[in-house]
């Protein structure tokens, strides 16, 4: 980042100061049309370069507004589109993992580690242990998903210690729709 910054002005970055930083950020925003996330990365890199490498105070902070990324709503699939998507997955284990992710909001890494012991069918919740950020949490368990999971575990016969995506749990690789 500091290399491009220096090249833009054709001078060493230690000879550049706050006015050049502002000019460069305006250049990136207006002329190069970089996304807010790229501008944030550039500001962070320049702040690091000036405060750590050059051991200068960062006096530009008040002049640079914090960039915010636009928040866009995700595309929501219709029931038919979801059914068609999941129906296109031939592998039973893969379809089950994707179904769990879609029905509960789990991440793929959390779904593949799902074990029967994590499912509380009385309270209709799934305990996610050590998810993102190494945090435990509960997610709601839809009744239809509980039935599908029971059917999956009966068909694949994993032991109680097996996770949803264990290799031994996938004896039948292809199956009709669940």
């Amino acid at each position: 980042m500091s290399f491009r910054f220096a090249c833009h002005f054709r001078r060493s970055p230690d000879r550049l100061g706050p006015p050049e930083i502002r000019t460069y950020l305006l250049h990136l925003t207006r002329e190069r049309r970089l996304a807010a996330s790229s501008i944030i990365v550039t500001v962070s890199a320049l702040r690091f370069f000036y405060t750590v490498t050059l051991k200068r105070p960062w006096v530009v902070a008040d002049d640079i507004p914090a960039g915010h990324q636009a928040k866009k709503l995700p595309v929501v699939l219709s029931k038919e589109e979801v059914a068609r998507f999941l129906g296109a997955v031939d592998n039973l284990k893969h379809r089950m993992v994707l179904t769990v992710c879609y029905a509960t909001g789990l991440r793929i890494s959390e779904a593949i580690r799902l074990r029967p012991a994590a499912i509380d069918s009385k309270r209709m919740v799934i305990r996610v242990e050590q998810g993102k950020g190494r945090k435990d949490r509960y997610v709601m368990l839809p009744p239809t998903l509980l039935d599908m999971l029971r059917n999956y575990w009966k068909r694949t016969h994993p032991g109680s210690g097996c996770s949803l995506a264990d290799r031994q749990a996938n004896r039948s690789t292809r199956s009709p729709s669940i």
Side-chain angles (χ1 to χ4, degrees):
M1 295 294 169
S2 60
F3 175 74
R4 288 184 181 170
F5 173 61
C7 287
H8 179 75
F9 291 102
R10 294 190 175 121
R11 292 195 313 211
S12 174
D14 63 339
R15 296 175 185 243
L16 302 172
E20 290 84 8
I21 293 172
R22 284 186 214 95
T23 303
Y24 182 65
L25 293 174
L26 283 172
H27 161 74
L28 294 179
T29 304
R30 292 181 180 162
E31 295 171 29
R32 300 252 337 260
R33 298 186 185 275
L34 293 184
S37 60
S38 298
I39 301 295
I40 291 168
V41 169
T42 302
V43 169
S44 298
L46 288 170
R47 181 185 311 115
F48 178 85
F49 179 74
Y50 276 93
T51 58
V52 176
T53 307
L54 297 179
K55 299 194 184 333
R56 284 193 198 167
W58 181 251
V59 294
V60 189
D62 297 335
D63 299 334
I64 301 174
H68 297 286
Q69 295 182 11
K71 297 192 179 192
K72 297 178 183 176
L73 290 174
V75 175
V76 179
L77 301 177
S78 69
K79 287 182 180 181
E80 295 79 23
E81 290 171 322
V82 172
R84 198 172 38 213
F85 168 73
L86 294 173
V89 180
D90 291 332
N91 185 293
L92 175 63
K93 174 176 65 173
H94 298 164
R95 186 174 337 116
M96 199 66 236
V97 168
L98 291 172
T99 302
V100 167
C101 289
Y102 184 79
T104 62
L106 293 182
R107 295 171 180 86
I108 293 283
S109 61
E110 296 167 340
I112 62 174
R113 289 183 287 136
L114 180 62
R115 298 183 181 283
I119 298 172
D120 185 344
S121 59
K122 290 186 178 91
R123 294 178 24 208
M124 295 303 288
V125 293
I126 297 174
R127 179 179 170 83
V128 180
E129 295 183 357
Q130 302 295 295
K132 185 176 178 180
R134 302 230 184 257
K135 295 181 181 174
D136 295 348
R137 72 180 198 281
Y138 286 99
V139 294
M140 301 302 295
L141 173 63
T144 53
L145 181 61
L146 177 61
D147 294 337
M148 292 171 77
L149 285 168
R150 283 179 173 157
N151 184 29
Y152 173 78
W153 262 293
K154 284 178 188 171
R155 290 176 70 180
T156 57
H157 307 293
S160 61
C162 293
S163 68
L164 185 62
D166 279 345
R167 289 184 186 265
Q168 65 220 24
N170 194 27
R171 292 194 180 107
S172 170
T173 57
R174 297 194 180 266
S175 69
S177 295
I178 292 178

